Amino acid sequence: MQIKKHLFFITIFILTILMSAFAHFRNSKRLVDKIEVNFESHGARFLNDSLVDKLLIQNKGELPWKAKDSLVLSMLESLLEDNPYIDKAEVFHFHQGVLGVNILEKIAVLRVQGQDQFYLDRLGNQFPLSNNHTPKVPLYHGKFNDKQKKDLLSLINLIDKDPFLRNELASIDYRSNSYFIGLRSYGFEVEIGQMRRIGEKLSKLKVFCAYHDNNLLNRNYSLINLKFKNQVVGS
């Protein structure tokens, strides 16, 4: 009786292995005839499904592709992440004959103007302008190097935490060794100088804008200077 029980479990075990091996063999012989692309977070802006399909097909050839197991998923992910608009790509086996692709696009926080024009993301990565999408981000004019990039990212990250300033920031200029910012709803330019005490300067700017909105000023200012400690100087 004990022997029969052991034989039964051994038989079930062998059948399970054989069925798994057969299923794996059949799966390995299936062809990939479709790609399903999903855009995460903010969705597709710079790219679209067709562009991602085209990028993969240019590398792997026309569909259908060979057996799934012959596809090196990490290689396809690296291929996609070489695209300047893609922050992260995940490629995985989906259901029968379908390859799943998850795409996270880069998010622009600043557009640098000049002889070379490009976007910056929050990590300081540069990527080119696009014919498919023009994000509403502040424009930067002036010298651009590692020092400016560090300052700009620091300023953008700080402003982004304040809803009023985030909605108002239209432009940033660097000239005469000083930073200037332009606001969407006000006719004056704001000189903030260097990044020292930048939190204090932005607080003074908010106070001035609130005063401007609630009081009729005797004159119209073209420039508001925040460089001086505990002062707002208009001209």
Side-chain angles (χ1 to χ4, degrees), residues 61-115:
E62 293 292 334
L63 294 171
W65 292 338
K66 293 181 180 179
K68 286 183 179 181
D69 286 354
S70 69
L71 295 174
V72 180
L73 302 185
S74 60
M75 181 272 291
L76 296 179
E77 290 172 349
S78 296
L79 169 71
L80 292 171
E81 289 173 356
D82 283 341
N83 183 280
Y85 300 109
I86 295 178
D87 185 34
K88 184 175 177 57
E90 179 185 14
V91 181
F92 55 94
H93 293 159
F94 200 42
H95 49 74
Q96 296 181 4
V98 177
L99 190 74
V101 180
N102 283 339
I103 297 291
L104 179 64
E105 286 190 345
K106 290 178 181 175
I107 299 174
V109 297
L110 187 72
R111 175 170 171 168
V112 177
Q113 301 284 87
Q115 186 173 359

Side-chain angles (χ1 to χ4, degrees), residues 28-91:
S28 69
K29 293 303 180 183
R30 291 194 181 107
L31 298 180
V32 174
D33 53 20
K34 185 178 180 183
I35 302 170
E36 285 194 5
V37 182
N38 171 58
F39 287 90
E40 299 180 1
S41 188
H42 296 279
R45 295 186 175 184
F46 298 108
L47 303 172
N48 56 43
D49 295 16
S50 298
L51 289 173
V52 175
D53 285 357
K54 184 178 179 181
L55 186 61
L56 291 172
I57 289 170
Q58 282 177 340
N59 181 264
K60 289 292 296 179
E62 293 292 334
L63 294 171
W65 292 338
K66 293 181 180 179
K68 286 183 179 181
D69 286 354
S70 69
L71 295 174
V72 180
L73 302 185
S74 60
M75 181 272 291
L76 296 179
E77 290 172 349
S78 296
L79 169 71
L80 292 171
E81 289 173 356
D82 283 341
N83 183 280
Y85 300 109
I86 295 178
D87 185 34
K88 184 175 177 57
E90 179 185 14
V91 181

Side-chain angles (χ1 to χ4, degrees), residues 148-211:
Q148 268 66 52
K149 181 162 76 170
K150 181 180 178 182
D151 286 348
L152 290 168
L153 292 175
S154 176
L155 179 60
I156 290 290
N157 288 334
L158 188 59
I159 286 178
D160 197 51
K161 296 175 182 177
D162 186 284
F164 171 76
L165 294 175
R166 182 174 64 244
N167 292 329
E168 281 294 333
L169 182 63
S171 64
I172 306 172
D173 284 70
Y174 185 79
R175 61 183 187 270
S176 303
N177 202 35
S178 189
Y179 288 100
F180 297 78
I181 62 176
L183 305 176
R184 300 185 189 281
S185 305
Y186 300 88
F188 50 78
E189 192 175 35
V190 182
E191 183 173 4
I192 59 177
Q194 294 299 307
M195 292 296 143
R196 294 184 297 272
R197 310 190 326 273
I198 185 60
E200 173 193 326
K201 294 173 183 178
L202 294 178
S203 294
K204 289 193 298 183
L205 175 60
K206 288 181 64 179
V207 170
F208 182 84
C209 289
Y211 181 82

